Amino acid sequence: MSLILLARGAMARAAIRVRFVLFTAILAAFACGETLVEASTFANGIRAQDEIVLVNVRPVGGCCDPAVLADGVQIESYQATDESGCRQWQVSNLGGVVAADSSVSTVIFVHGNRLTNWDAKCEGLAAYRRIVRQSDAAPIRFVIFSWPAAQISGPLKDVRAKAARTRPAGCQLAWFVDQLPAETPITMVGFSFGARIVTGSLHILGGGSLGNMGLAELQHSNRRPANVVLLAAALNSDWLCPGRYHGQAMGMVNQMVLVNNCEDRAMKLYHFSATCGRPQALGFCGPTCVDPVAASKIVELNVSRYVGSEHDLFCYLSAPGVTSEIGHFASAIGQPVVAAN
């Protein structure tokens, strides 16, 4: 029996070493900007025709006052600094983003929990590299939305604090989207609590409010509906139903893809993020309350067999069909403009 246990232990250690080698190889690939496509098309993993922007709302805390946001939200642009096309983060401004070509498809990526602002940049760039492999050659604007998600001590304290922070972050994201021209084709991608921020922002853009937070006046009330991809969505499964907490979000949606996983351990434990009741996560079981019109806009992808218990963005992006859906949305700039409900 002891020999069997020793053998099992050796096999487990070998498996860990293999995973570590693979992990370091992946990190090296990201660090060097390696991709599986032609080097002439990409410089450091970034397509020459694409614009990459960081919208950092961390400096404004939980405020949703438009004047404070206009002054306090930090904008950075990932720009080429030499003839080789290598890019670096540089300070930019909202005016440059708003004045950019409104016909360019804009992808807004909202990260999940426990990321610093630097982590958000790195994860956003890695997600961008995955997504553009599945899109056509048309240029896109890729926006990384950075919200205050850095880890705090105590897992329960952390998850409940971040759940509370998604409310002002949703309002801040709505404010940013409202600055963009109404005809801008937008795809919103949210992971975990980032999905909650996405639907919260759409609810506000649809005329709703999150408690006492909202936008008193929208600059573009007839905005083109967005395409939405939610990965392991950490919001209550009934919130998209009319009259519920994010009940006006679906009116601002053209099409929505829900990437769900009933094996995800974080999705199983989602109810701990709530201060009362035992709600199920949208990313665990899909919508449990939605009207027929909204239901016709939703496609669900069950990735349990590919992702398993992991709550990791890149496990989800690696599942079949996920990045191709996002790439399809990013490339679909010719869809008709439909007035929001």
Side-chain angles (χ1 to χ4, degrees):
M1 179 64 74
S2 60
L3 289 175
I4 293 174
L5 292 175
L6 286 172
R8 287 178 177 173
M11 291 173 64
R13 288 192 294 274
I16 290 170
R17 284 195 295 272
V18 170
R19 287 196 295 268
F20 178 76
V21 170
L22 289 172
F23 178 67
T24 52
I26 291 169
L27 285 182
F30 281 138
C32 298
E34 294 176 0
T35 67
L36 301 178
V37 298
E38 294 291 335
S40 59
T41 305
F42 286 72
N44 198 32
I46 309 298
R47 302 192 309 183
Q49 67 267 38
D50 294 340
E51 177 187 359
I52 300 177
V53 175
L54 177 83
V55 176
N56 179 13
V57 300
R58 297 172 193 245
V60 299
C63 179
C64 198
D65 183 289
V68 175
L69 297 180
D71 185 58
V73 172
Q74 295 179 352
I75 309 293
E76 294 181 55
S77 180
Y78 199 52
Q79 297 179 355
T81 57
D82 55 39
E83 294 180 356
S84 69
C86 289
R87 301 194 186 199
Q88 292 183 353
W89 288 107
Q90 300 184 33
V91 175
S92 184
N93 57 72
L94 181 64
V97 179
V98 173
D101 187 351
S102 62
S103 68
V104 173
S105 184
T106 298
V107 179
I108 301 175
F109 169 74
V110 188
H111 61 80
N113 192 13
R114 299 184 177 179
L115 270 67
T116 64
N117 189 51
W118 176 251
D119 294 333
K121 289 180 178 179
C122 294
E123 183 173 276
L125 287 174
Y128 158 85
R129 291 183 175 104
R130 296 284 187 94
I131 291 167
V132 294
R133 294 177 193 174
Q134 302 294 329
S135 60
D136 65 16
I140 67 168
R141 181 179 302 109
F142 191 84
V143 177
I144 303 167
F145 185 81
S146 178
W147 60 283
Q151 185 173 359
I152 59 179
S153 60
L156 186 59
K157 181 180 179 182
D158 177 90
V159 73
R160 288 186 174 173
K162 304 310 172 43
R165 291 180 190 178
T166 60
R167 184 165 65 102
C171 187
Q172 292 157 357
L173 177 56
W175 170 83
F176 169 73
V177 173
D178 189 43
Q179 307 307 302
L180 304 177
E183 65 274 15
T184 303
I186 292 176
T187 297
M188 305 179 81
V189 181
F191 172 67
S192 192
F193 275 145
R196 186 169 177 158
I197 292 169
V198 166
T199 57
S201 71
L202 292 170
H203 173 73
I204 289 176
L205 290 169
S209 62
L210 302 174
N212 61 348
M213 287 196 167
L215 297 175
E217 185 176 349
L218 294 173
Q219 294 191 40
H220 304 287
S221 57
N222 250 355
R223 174 162 300 279
R224 174 182 191 150
N227 289 320
V228 179
V229 180
L230 304 182
L231 309 148
L235 62 138
N236 289 21
S237 61
D238 65 346
W239 275 4
L240 297 180
C241 189
R244 302 296 174 89
Y245 196 45
H246 292 179
Q248 289 173 247
M250 292 305 298
M252 295 302 300
V253 171
N254 179 52
Q255 289 182 285
M256 176 181 285
V257 176
L258 298 178
V259 184
N260 302 336
N261 180 4
C262 60
E263 298 298 326
D264 186 321
R265 56 178 174 264
M267 294 288 94
K268 289 181 178 180
L269 299 174
Y270 169 78
H271 60 273
F272 284 111
S273 67
T275 54
C276 62
R278 292 179 62 87
Q280 288 186 311
L282 181 67
F284 176 77
C285 62
T288 54
C289 178
V290 68
D291 66 70
V293 174
S296 68
K297 302 177 180 182
I298 297 174
V299 173
E300 297 186 59
L301 298 180
N302 185 341
V303 298
S304 301
R305 62 180 295 190
Y306 305 104
V307 177
S309 63
E310 295 298 317
H311 189 69
D312 179 270
L313 170 67
F314 295 102
C315 291
Y316 278 84
L317 290 178
S318 298
V322 175
T323 52
S324 61
E325 287 286 354
I326 301 172
H328 169 71
F329 283 161
S331 302
I333 60 175
Q335 61 186 352
V337 178
V338 180
N341 293 336

